Amino acid sequence: MKRRSFLKNTAASGMACALPPIFPYFAEPKYSTEELMGKADVQLFGEGINLREEAYNSFLEMKKAAYSAGFDIKMVSSFRDYYHQQRIWERKYLNYTEDLGMSPFDAIEKIIEYSTIPGTSRHHWGTDIDIIDGFPKASGDVLVPEKFEAGGPYEGFKLWLDDNSTKYGFYLVYTNNPRRRGFKYEPWHYSYAPISIPMLTAYRKLNILKLLQEESFLGSEHFTAGFIKTYIQDNILDINPVLL
């Protein structure tokens, strides 16, 4: 198991003003290939929160503000390492191919509607979160778009996030723009832009095609060069433009 450091009572950083759409960087941080692919030993903060320190502090500020407005931000998912993502991928691959009888290619296309290929997830970075409101009662899968829309249990929470999340540096990743390709709309998935933007910049400099072709997990033998190139363009880069 990878080492993690949890700080339960860290003082929050207090980003009081809304961040502009463009974040200036005067020195590009260095991130290793292993770190960007979720294979490194990353220091995380907050038991049950699991974010990089700066993102954690800003998340606490956002959580406190949301609570004052009547919402209890509940973390559904944050940091996931490569091996966690691999388990998710392989479980879905087996379900689609063996239980539902789908072809490998159809199974892969179905998986990438919402789930990333191991080594390509933004959740590897300790900057991205899947969140809901912990106050309303909701049955079944909580991470479905309908629950965040009119009449859904998280409708009010989503409206609050629309107005306030950027004040704390968190931006929706997979928007409902009808022209966007790749992963489907995820109204629960937010990214801490001051860190995730430079991490994506570093990630784009990797030879992702070569790296994925060197990986071995269920279904990866069916990845063609054309598929990976399209996946990079549609699923990794066709996101909220503020985060590019």
Side-chain angles (χ1 to χ4, degrees), residues 51-215:
L51 293 173
R52 292 174 184 265
E53 184 174 15
E54 183 183 337
Y56 165 69
N57 289 334
S58 291
F59 174 79
L60 288 186
E61 285 294 304
M62 183 169 72
K63 183 175 176 65
K64 284 190 279 187
Y67 195 83
S68 296
F71 306 102
D72 180 25
I73 297 183
K74 179 180 178 182
M75 187 77 74
V76 177
S77 184
S78 52
F79 175 80
R80 293 198 297 267
D81 67 15
Y82 175 96
Y83 308 98
H84 186 168
Q85 192 66 32
Q86 181 179 350
R87 291 192 295 272
I88 293 173
W89 175 276
E90 293 188 333
R91 173 176 54 80
K92 291 188 174 184
Y93 184 82
L94 288 173
N95 177 52
Y96 292 141
T97 56
E98 296 189 359
D99 298 340
L100 300 181
M102 297 174 67
S103 72
F105 302 101
D106 289 341
I108 290 169
E109 290 296 330
K110 183 66 175 176
I111 294 172
I112 64 173
E113 288 181 359
Y114 285 110
S115 295
T116 57
I117 295 172
T120 71
S121 176
R122 298 178 62 93
H123 284 286
H124 293 335
W125 300 344
T127 60
D128 284 45
I129 56 177
D130 296 338
I131 52 176
I132 62 172
D133 180 9
F135 283 143
K137 292 184 179 180
S139 59
D141 189 355
V142 295
L143 298 184
V144 291
E146 293 76 18
K147 284 186 166 64
F148 293 78
E149 296 171 356
Y154 310 133
E155 175 189 2
F157 178 51
K158 180 60 170 62
L159 293 175
W160 185 89
L161 288 169
D162 289 344
D163 291 336
N164 294 278
S165 68
T166 59
K167 298 175 184 177
Y168 307 95
F170 287 94
Y171 285 76
L172 191 69
V173 180
Y174 306 115
T175 69
N176 58 355
N177 184 340
R179 301 181 64 182
R180 192 180 59 77
R181 303 179 302 278
F183 296 119
K184 291 188 174 182
Y185 173 49
E186 293 189 352
W188 54 83
H189 186 159
Y190 287 78
S191 182
Y192 185 66
I195 300 177
S196 69
I197 289 176
M199 291 196 80
L200 179 59
T201 298
Y203 190 83
R204 294 173 70 171
K205 295 178 181 179
L206 302 179
N207 188 338
I208 303 172
L209 172 61
K210 181 175 183 294
L211 289 169
L212 289 184
Q213 288 177 330
E214 292 174 349
E215 297 298 322

Side-chain angles (χ1 to χ4, degrees), residues 1-25:
M1 179 178 294
K2 295 184 178 296
R3 174 182 59 82
R4 299 181 182 178
S5 296
F6 297 112
L7 294 187
K8 296 183 179 179
N9 298 304
T10 302
S13 62
M15 297 177 63
C17 300
L19 293 172
I22 299 175
F23 301 88
Y25 295 103

